[in-house]
Amino acid sequence: QVQLVESGGGLVQTGGSLRLSCAASDRTFSSNAMGWFRQAPGKEREFVATISWSGDSTLFADSVKGRFTISRGNAKNTVYLQMNSLKPEDTAVYYCAATGRGTLGLPTTGFMYAYWGQGTQVTVSS
């Protein structure tokens, strides 16, 4: 079973930046789409961003457009989330996710993703 491992979370002040990384345990793992979701305390998990296998197509939640970027590593088994101009409302546990074989397109709903990381905490102080 492929595992996704996130890193890069932490505590940052409002307006600061963080870069999250996610790598699949299997270096040969390849997914049509890899994405990021987040869950704040007391709230449901929500979509943040997703990227195609080639890296040519991306989708973002309206709440992060213009502030976050998503990219794939050359090995295609890694994905990064660059978060700029962070706000307190960005505070959440961020989860990396990847679609399984046969899932096409860029899903924005969690149930379309077959693989999940354990999550990394991002805290933005005001």
Side-chain angles (χ1 to χ4, degrees):
Q1 179 76 4
V2 172
Q3 292 182 332
L4 302 180
V5 180
E6 304 104 333
S7 61
L11 174 64
V12 65
Q13 292 185 334
T14 297
S17 299
L18 282 175
R19 186 186 191 222
L20 304 184
S21 300
C22 171
S25 57
D26 182 350
R27 292 176 63 87
T28 65
F29 176 76
S30 179
S31 174
N32 286 331
M34 294 187 75
W36 292 91
F37 290 75
R38 66 187 182 186
Q39 187 168 20
K43 295 187 177 181
E44 295 186 351
R45 181 179 61 192
E46 65 174 0
F47 166 76
V48 176
T50 187
I51 186 168
S52 63
W53 181 87
S54 66
D56 292 341
S57 298
T58 58
L59 285 176
F60 294 92
D62 288 343
S63 59
V64 306
K65 278 181 182 177
R67 300 188 297 121
F68 290 11
T69 58
I70 187 171
S71 59
R72 283 255 204 178
N74 290 334
K76 303 300 182 184
N77 68 331
T78 56
V79 65
Y80 306 98
L81 185 69
Q82 177 66 43
M83 305 184 294
N84 299 326
S85 302
L86 283 162
K87 305 175 181 179
E89 50 262 45
D90 294 318
T91 295
V93 177
Y94 283 69
Y95 297 92
C96 173
T99 56
R101 291 185 178 184
T103 300
L104 303 178
L106 295 177
T108 60
T109 52
F111 70 84
M112 295 294 289
Y113 288 80
Y115 304 96
W116 291 84
Q118 80 287 353
T120 186
Q121 177 70 46
V122 171
T123 302
V124 184
S125 63
S126 57

